[in-house]
Amino acid sequence: MAAHRCGLSVVCILIFSSLAHPSSCDTLEKANDNTATKRRISEVNTDGSVAGEDMNERQWQSTDVEVNRSDGTKNGETFAPAKDQFQEELVIRPLHSGDIYASFQFRTLWDTDFLQEGQKKVSHYRLFPKSLGQVLSKFSVQELHISFTQGFWRTMQWGQPFIPSPPGAELWVWFHDTVSDVDGNWKELTNVLSGIFCASLNFIDMTNTVQPSASFKPLGLGNATDHRFLRYATLPREIVCTENLTPWKKLLPCGSKAGLAVLMKSEKLFHSSFHSQAVHIRPICQDEQCTSKAWELRQTLNVVFDHYTSGQGKKEWSLFKMFSRTLTEACPLASSSKVYVDITDNPEGELFELSPATPLLSQAVVLGDRRTYSVYDLTRAETFGQLRSFNLLLRWKGDSGDMLRPLLHAERYVAGFGLQTGEIHTVIYNNHPYRAFPVLLMDSVPWYLQLYIHTLTVTSKSRDNKPSYIHYQPAKDRHRPHLLEMLIQLPPHSMTEVTVQFERALLKWTEYTPDPNHGFYVGSSVVSALVPSMVAMSTNFTQDQPLFSSFVPVKEESSYFVRVYTEPLLVNLPTPDFSMPYNVICLTCTVVAVGYGSFYNLLTRTFQVDEPSPPLAKRLANFIRRIRGVPLLA
Amino acid sequence: MAAPLTLLLIVAVTIRAVLFRSSLAELISERVEVVSPLNAWKRVVEGLALLDLGVSPYSGDVFHETPLMIYLFHFTVDYAEIVFMVSPYFVDCLSCLLASLDRAKIAIGSNNLKSDLLFNFPGCLRHIISFSTCGLNNAIIALFIFCTLKGSALLSGILLALATYQSIYPLTLFAPALLFFLQRLYIPVNLRRSSFWCFTLQYAFIYVGSLVVITGLSFFLLGSWDFIPSVYGFIFSVPDLTPNIGLFWYFFAEMFEHFRLFFICVFQINVFFYTIPLSIKLKEHPVFLIFMQIAIISIFKSYPTVGDVALYMAFLPAWSHLYRFLRNIFLVSCVLLACSALFPVLWHLWIYAGSANSNFYYAITLLFNFGQILLVSDYFYAYLRREHHLTHGLYLKKKDGTEATLVLK
């Protein structure tokens, strides 16, 4: 499967590089490079001993690097005026279900602004990956967000993630407003990205792309509001695996050789109940006054390990147990490299115990809540101790308390029976005890489920709750999906149910997926909201705040932005009999021919009295008589 | 004959009103045999909802009614029930009128409403309580036939244009209407005669003129030509493969992609093609030609419903004098009745129970269409045979005096 997909994407890249532009030939090399690396990595992974040796060697090498590191960075700072910067961080949050949430974030700042300089070619790359930089400049991308997720984030058990993502692949891109052919750029971009990430993004076409009018605003600079330059698509069926992780890791300045990325061993990362990797690129301000701009590449990887259920109910965890690796050093190119552990529930150390202990504590307001973290700074040598290895360990002493219920969460399901009609139910919960707030609900439904917008009902507390804004774009068969966006006011402490009926279409036999009776996926609906915050959010811009709390810009103190994705739906469609094409063509044509034949018969012939022809012997005799010239028999 | 007719109408109105109010109406208005994507009432409501949202109803692929229809319902949506209740009477009155045309059969004319209801009971019953705009289309065609028979060329031309505008296919009724008027005005069908061309051009002008006016009017109502691909493109290219009682849906669901265009052309030409030979053969009998055309349209059109079948079946009592020449009416009746019963059963087995597959339903549509073709060709045969007997006498004898048998040669 993996080889096939990669092969496909290489072919894609080949075609596009030959078609699109002569300058994209290095993308081709990159793609080939990707496959080569992947092969090498898989070889290493299959042979455990090789991996072990590799690790030892790297330890030695890496210590050498570390000795030189301080000089290196100093030199970089003094000589290079470009302020490229790389930060990495790992946040570990013990969840109340007993699972462990590990969130990696890597941020690369690229001090260039090629969009302002009028499409000038940028040829100097330092920390920023060249493959992505070229994509940005070639397709005039203003902002790019892509995520690959395996598993579903259980908001009610786990709380809100730092950066949410829907199951499958999600891609949304803001193009620069100078682009004239947005659809053409989008199509090429998806194909190129599918090559870069070894994913089936090339299956994104006009039938699953929408232009949301309100739900997806640019997260970086630029207040673009014209949604003609926005494209959003999800592939809910996309399966995320090693072949997507490898190219993702290669985008990091240190690769997976040093720093936190050492922990990313795919056999551990994918042995988890939730895995999500994402790339976010956007232009941001370098400082508070916004005198200089920079491109920010944020790579995030979120994993939830289910050690609690799979490990006989033990809540102990360590870095080695989770990742089968320990940390030995920070990435030499990183300006900061930190590990955070959420200890908010454990202020006096009565619930669990961390070892090694750290004196560093940090407080951050994240997702409307003030959290306390133990911080391990990997750039300091003392973090690694005597063994030159950092293995974080957590031991539980007591039972955990109650979790704060997330203020907003949503779920979705299909109601009804049979293959003719159905009803999509989306249920949105506002768990705030006294505050009402509005949410934006966005649904993108494939064309083969025909929505009936007049059956749309929104009810809160068993009363009709009329949305104050509805943006609806009906589907065109085989051309574009339905897009439904609504602004709904959620009453405090309530459950709001949105239902809409649909009809299932019968498709052409070639339009079904190879396993048609498995069903068709409908992407998650997206609930975006400004949720009232429990504590004041910090609106001031600081460079040194932790990465996980600085992704979504905070505009006001009293609320914070949350995006919740519901479950994708799996809907069955009626199927024709796939073995029948010849029979159906023959049978239907027969019936038409019967009609034609009987009309033809009646149209061309006339009624005549039936004169039975004389028997054969008589005809023979008459024949002979005619030859002989004798009168014929009567 | 007026008194029993009024009585029958009152009875029929009562039955329909009761059925409309019953829960049966809701059940039936969603059945695929009764509604097609072209005329489902649910889709009309959806179009109105889109209009209220400020979205063009033709920007999506749910609504396929003509613009005049949506504006009609935009203002009368509250009275839609009455519209649907009233429109089928045009069809009934039509069949009654048709029978009375034949002066010799005035006696049975009053029984026609009854026989109409009885003859195609399952189809007609479903049709009259289905919330579908098919009833309105049928009413327009019925009015067209009425005006034609009454000899009003102007009204007939306008109504034919309206029917064509609604669903393209009634275009083929132009030929029989023209033939009827020519016959009525004693103008022989002769291409060299100027009087023939004079009237033909006159009638064609009325027809084309009102078609242009209606289309232009809908353009001004809507402000765009979006409805042309959405209504007529939808009828011709058959993109929606929702099962119905016709031949198109499964054929094009199972069609090989590179043959699709070819077969769409063949199937669509097939509907219009019969007009020419039938007009030549039946140029003396335009009313029967109308019946044949309507029957062929309802069998071979892209989205047929039971309503279309009911329209031509309403004519059947008018041809009651052909019963004695029908060859296999028993077989056909059995087939059609069995199919009407099996449609819902096999649909349920496929869609809800999951114990059958699409082939079951497809088989029954094949059989149903086969039955319809047999029925129509049987009537055609009987009509031709009766004409033969009218000229040659009922009891034919051979030269030697024995009883002769008639054959087609």
Side-chain angles (χ1 to χ4, degrees):
Chain A
M1 175 73 185
H4 171 71
R5 272 166 59 176
C6 233
L8 198 77
S9 53
V10 169
V11 170
C12 253
I13 288 289
L14 258 172
I15 291 164
F16 267 85
S17 56
S18 57
L19 283 180
H21 208 270
S23 75
S24 61
C25 55
D26 40 13
T27 332
L28 168 66
E29 283 164 23
K30 186 87 192 167
N32 283 339
D33 203 355
N34 275 351
T35 41
T37 327
K38 176 185 293 236
R39 217 168 286 135
R40 203 170 65 230
I41 289 213
S42 62
E43 276 164 20
V44 170
N45 284 350
T46 46
D47 195 345
S49 60
V50 177
E53 276 176 36
D54 205 8
M55 208 171 83
N56 288 338
E57 233 171 80
R58 191 178 293 129
Q59 240 170 29
W60 284 109
Q61 275 171 2
S62 52
T63 38
D64 290 348
V65 172
E66 202 178 11
V67 173
N68 299 331
R69 191 186 56 85
S70 49
D71 304 10
T73 42
K74 260 179 204 160
N75 287 348
E77 272 162 17
T78 45
F79 291 122
K83 290 178 282 179
D84 284 13
Q85 207 187 51
F86 176 65
Q87 290 169 281
E88 54 178 11
E89 102 186 1
L90 164 65
V91 189
I92 299 173
R93 190 163 88 192
L95 298 170
H96 287 264
S97 58
D99 303 328
I100 304 134
Y101 173 36
S103 170
F104 293 87
Q105 294 219 11
F106 303 90
R107 180 163 87 155
T108 313
L109 283 180
W110 185 21
D111 192 15
T112 184
D113 206 354
F114 51 74
L115 284 176
Q116 299 296 318
E117 291 159 28
Q119 302 293 322
K120 211 181 76 183
K121 278 259 176 313
V122 180
S123 53
H124 180 66
Y125 291 89
R126 205 169 147 260
L127 296 177
F128 200 87
K130 189 178 178 185
S131 55
L132 285 182
Q134 282 176 330
V135 167
L136 292 186
S137 63
K138 180 165 180 358
F139 300 108
S140 308
V141 172
Q142 168 98 15
E143 213 170 275
L144 186 147
H145 302 268
I146 183 167
S147 74
F148 300 98
T149 307
Q150 187 74 35
F152 178 69
W153 182 270
R154 293 170 179 83
T155 312
M156 275 314 274
Q157 292 168 32
W158 297 343
Q160 299 286 358
F162 294 121
I163 297 180
S165 58
E170 182 198 41
L171 174 66
W172 56 287
V173 175
W174 276 92
F175 289 95
H176 210 254
D177 52 13
T178 51
V179 179
S180 52
D181 180 19
V182 181
D183 286 328
N185 270 17
W186 168 249
K187 189 163 174 48
E188 274 187 53
L189 176 69
T190 51
N191 280 284
V192 169
L193 287 176
S194 115
I196 292 178
F197 292 104
C198 278
S200 338
L201 295 174
N202 51 325
F203 285 107
I204 292 178
D205 53 15
M206 292 330 286
T207 62
N208 48 21
T209 303
V210 288
Q211 302 170 37
S213 67
S215 293
F216 288 87
K217 290 291 167 205
L219 291 174
L221 283 174
N223 286 323
T225 45
D226 191 350
H227 62 270
R228 280 182 297 137
F229 298 103
L230 168 66
R231 291 292 181 277
Y232 173 87
T234 52
L235 295 173
R237 207 183 185 177
E238 179 74 5
I239 290 163
V240 185
C241 202
T242 323
E243 77 260 28
N244 306 107
L245 184 67
T246 312
W248 184 89
K249 280 198 289 196
K250 277 177 67 79
L251 298 174
L252 296 169
C254 293
S256 52
K257 303 275 189 296
L260 293 173
V262 167
L263 297 179
M264 294 176 189
K265 271 194 88 170
S266 45
E267 76 259 32
K268 281 290 181 186
L269 287 187
F270 291 103
H271 189 79
S272 57
S273 46
F274 178 81
H275 170 95
S276 167
Q277 59 185 72
V279 169
H280 303 274
I281 304 173
R282 57 178 177 171
I284 58 156
C285 290
Q286 288 273 49
D287 47 27
E288 206 163 346
Q289 282 75 40
C290 215
T291 48
S292 62
K293 292 164 190 165
W295 283 97
E296 184 199 67
L297 164 68
R298 220 179 248 262
Q299 288 179 257
T300 62
L301 190 137
N302 295 306
V303 201
V304 174
F305 292 104
D306 53 348
H307 285 235
Y308 182 62
T309 42
S310 63
Q312 292 89 41
K314 282 185 197 152
K315 284 185 172 183
E316 265 79 21
W317 58 263
S318 68
L319 284 187
F320 188 78
K321 204 170 154 192
M322 285 193 287
F323 301 105
S324 75
R325 293 280 172 95
T326 55
L327 288 169
T328 52
E329 51 153 355
C331 170
L333 299 167
S335 61
S336 94
S337 176
K338 285 174 180 159
V339 175
Y340 294 84
V341 180
D342 193 332
I343 53 159
T344 316
D345 304 326
N346 187 33
E348 276 98 41
E350 73 272 18
L351 277 183
F352 53 77
E353 178 186 31
L354 271 174
S355 76
T358 176
L360 278 179
L361 281 181
S362 155
Q363 279 215 331
V365 179
V366 53
L367 296 168
D369 197 9
R370 191 179 301 281
R371 312 291 295 178
T372 315
Y373 294 92
S374 293
V375 186
Y376 297 87
D377 193 345
L378 299 185
T379 50
R380 293 189 188 178
E382 63 261 31
T383 311
F384 298 102
Q386 300 286 308
L387 294 166
R388 294 208 159 275
S389 154
F390 172 63
N391 183 20
L392 194 57
L393 205 90
L394 185 139
R395 273 196 205 88
W396 280 88
K397 289 191 215 156
D399 264 344
S400 57
D402 276 342
M403 186 186 67
L404 184 73
R405 291 181 80 191
L407 292 181
L408 173 69
H409 95 275
E411 55 195 39
R412 190 157 71 138
Y413 57 90
V414 178
F417 62 97
L419 296 176
Q420 191 179 7
T421 55
E423 197 168 41
I424 298 178
H425 286 243
T426 311
V427 189
I428 311 170
Y429 296 87
N430 173 5
N431 293 329
H432 202 288
Y434 53 86
R435 286 279 299 273
F437 56 86
V439 294
L440 260 173
L441 174 70
M442 191 201 93
D443 251 319
S444 162
V445 180
W447 63 267
Y448 36 78
L449 304 183
Q450 288 164 335
L451 288 190
Y452 285 100
I453 196 69
H454 71 270
T455 60
L456 177 76
T457 60
V458 184
T459 43
S460 309
K461 297 186 166 172
S462 63
R463 225 173 305 144
D464 198 32
N465 182 357
K466 201 171 157 41
S468 50
Y469 164 82
I470 294 185
H471 171 78
Y472 178 62
Q473 192 189 36
K476 266 278 185 222
D477 283 2
R478 300 176 178 90
H479 287 292
R480 68 161 194 239
H482 300 272
L483 171 67
L484 177 60
E485 276 187 289
M486 281 181 285
L487 187 66
I488 308 169
Q489 183 78 16
L490 300 185
H493 199 73
S494 69
M495 184 188 96
T496 302
E497 191 166 24
V498 181
T499 65
V500 63
Q501 286 176 19
F502 65 88
E503 206 171 281
R504 299 162 211 245
L506 182 78
L507 309 182
K508 297 172 188 167
W509 69 301
T510 46
E511 287 171 332
Y512 286 90
T513 48
D515 49 349
N517 291 310
H518 175 74
F520 287 74
Y521 284 90
V522 180
S524 313
S525 45
V526 187
V527 181
S528 321
L530 280 173
V531 176
S533 173
M534 292 295 187
V535 294
M537 301 294 290
S538 63
T539 51
N540 53 335
F541 178 91
T542 45
Q543 194 64 270
D544 49 311
Q545 82 192 102
L547 293 182
F548 59 84
S549 65
S550 69
F551 182 63
V552 184
V554 178
K555 297 265 166 54
E556 50 186 336
E557 283 193 350
S558 59
S559 59
Y560 62 100
F561 179 79
V562 171
R563 187 167 283 153
V564 178
Y565 291 94
T566 64
E567 300 90 337
L569 299 176
L570 184 58
V571 182
N572 270 311
L573 295 185
T575 52
D577 186 338
F578 294 98
S579 60
M580 286 276 284
Y582 280 107
N583 305 349
V584 169
I585 292 170
C586 292
L587 289 171
T588 308
C589 285
T590 306
V591 170
V592 173
V594 165
Y596 177 83
S598 53
F599 289 133
Y600 180 83
N601 198 17
L602 290 164
L603 283 166
T604 54
R605 297 185 191 192
T606 50
F607 283 103
Q608 278 168 16
V609 174
D610 187 25
E611 294 289 347
S613 58
L616 186 67
K618 201 173 180 179
R619 271 189 288 166
L620 265 178
N622 273 339
F623 181 69
I624 297 163
R625 275 164 175 264
R626 201 179 288 128
I627 294 168
R628 285 170 56 203
V630 185
L632 303 184
L633 290 174
Chain B
M1 113 175 216
L5 182 66
T6 326
L7 193 70
L8 266 171
L9 274 175
I10 291 169
V11 171
V13 167
T14 325
I15 291 172
R16 268 164 211 179
V18 168
L19 285 176
F20 252 129
R21 290 287 168 198
S22 69
S23 58
L24 204 62
E26 205 172 309
L27 186 77
I28 281 178
S29 67
E30 297 241 334
R31 301 227 41 107
V32 283
E33 299 91 3
V34 175
V35 295
S36 75
L38 269 178
N39 57 24
W41 176 243
K42 201 175 174 187
R43 291 178 185 244
V44 176
V45 177
E46 175 72 8
L48 292 173
L50 288 177
L51 211 61
D52 288 342
L53 275 178
V55 182
S56 162
Y58 298 105
S59 64
D61 249 344
V62 168
F63 185 76
H64 302 287
E65 293 286 345
T66 52
L68 282 187
M69 212 63 164
I70 190 168
Y71 282 101
L72 170 76
F73 282 116
H74 192 58
F75 298 114
T76 61
V77 69
D78 301 332
Y79 314 107
E81 198 172 291
I82 298 168
V83 174
F84 283 123
M85 234 191 279
V86 168
S87 58
Y89 295 117
F90 292 110
V91 183
D92 290 347
C93 297
L94 170 84
S95 66
C96 184
L97 182 97
L98 272 174
S100 63
L101 270 187
D102 198 344
R103 303 279 172 232
K105 294 200 174 290
I106 265 183
I108 63 157
S110 58
N111 287 327
N112 275 327
L113 269 178
K114 215 185 292 168
S115 56
D116 166 31
L117 271 173
L118 288 177
F119 188 83
N120 47 51
F121 185 70
C124 199
L125 191 65
R126 274 191 216 165
H127 164 58
I128 55 176
I129 55 169
S130 70
F131 255 107
S132 104
T133 57
C134 184
L136 277 181
N137 294 351
N138 284 354
I140 293 171
I141 295 176
L143 273 179
F144 152 72
I145 296 167
F146 178 76
C147 291
T148 311
L149 297 185
K150 285 285 169 197
S152 161
L154 179 71
L155 274 179
S156 143
I158 293 173
L159 284 166
L160 181 58
L162 202 60
T164 313
Y165 167 78
Q166 281 293 96
S167 64
I168 284 288
Y169 291 115
L171 172 71
T172 59
L173 297 180
F174 180 82
L178 181 68
L179 286 173
F180 183 82
F181 283 117
L182 290 173
Q183 197 182 50
R184 193 184 160 86
L185 298 170
Y186 303 109
I187 303 171
V189 184
N190 187 338
L191 297 183
R192 293 208 192 89
R193 295 277 285 272
S194 64
S195 58
F196 167 75
W197 283 110
C198 185
F199 185 80
T200 306
L201 286 177
Q202 204 183 329
Y203 190 64
F205 179 76
I206 297 171
Y207 172 64
V208 176
S210 28
L211 199 58
V212 168
V213 168
I214 294 167
T215 318
L217 188 67
S218 21
F219 171 71
F220 287 117
L221 274 177
L222 201 71
S224 78
W225 293 110
D226 283 351
F227 70 96
I228 300 279
S230 190
V231 178
Y232 307 118
F234 184 78
I235 293 174
F236 278 125
S237 63
V238 206
D240 193 316
L241 303 171
T242 311
N244 56 33
I245 59 169
L247 292 168
F248 277 67
W249 64 275
Y250 206 54
F251 188 69
F252 288 105
E254 293 271 9
M255 179 49 66
F256 297 103
E257 205 51 50
H258 45 285
F259 287 134
R260 184 174 302 274
L261 183 64
F262 170 74
F263 274 106
I264 282 181
C265 293
V266 169
F267 271 53
Q268 296 289 7
I269 290 170
N270 183 44
V271 189
F272 294 98
F273 169 73
Y274 294 109
T275 314
I276 303 162
L278 280 175
S279 308
I280 295 168
K281 182 91 177 177
L282 292 171
K283 68 172 182 258
E284 308 296 327
H285 314 283
V287 181
F288 189 74
L289 183 53
I290 291 181
F291 163 74
M292 286 296 292
Q293 293 287 14
I294 292 178
I296 284 171
I297 290 172
S298 85
I299 297 169
F300 292 120
K301 77 190 283 196
S302 44
Y303 303 101
T305 58
V306 176
D308 297 300
V309 180
L311 179 65
Y312 82 81
M313 287 212 173
F315 274 82
L316 295 184
W319 317 122
S320 53
H321 53 281
L322 301 180
Y323 284 159
R324 65 178 295 169
F325 300 112
L326 293 175
R327 288 172 299 181
N328 33 26
I329 187 66
F330 176 70
L331 176 74
V332 170
S333 316
C334 290
V335 165
L336 293 184
L337 282 175
C339 284
S340 329
L342 280 175
F343 268 128
V345 171
L346 294 178
W347 177 256
H348 181 86
L349 287 184
W350 173 26
I351 295 295
Y352 293 100
S355 52
N357 68 7
S358 47
N359 294 341
F360 287 65
Y361 192 76
Y362 166 66
I364 222 67
T365 62
L366 272 190
L367 190 62
F368 184 66
N369 282 294
F370 182 72
Q372 284 192 87
I373 288 169
L374 267 190
L375 177 75
V376 174
S377 58
D378 211 12
Y379 266 92
F380 192 21
Y381 169 85
Y383 197 88
L384 293 179
R385 178 147 185 190
R386 180 170 176 273
E387 288 306 310
H388 187 266
H389 281 304
L390 281 181
T391 46
H392 295 91
L394 193 53
Y395 301 104
L396 300 173
K397 289 208 166 78
K398 274 196 273 190
K399 283 174 213 156
D400 55 359
T402 53
E403 201 176 329
T405 49
L406 268 183
V407 287
L408 276 172
K409 267 186 185 163

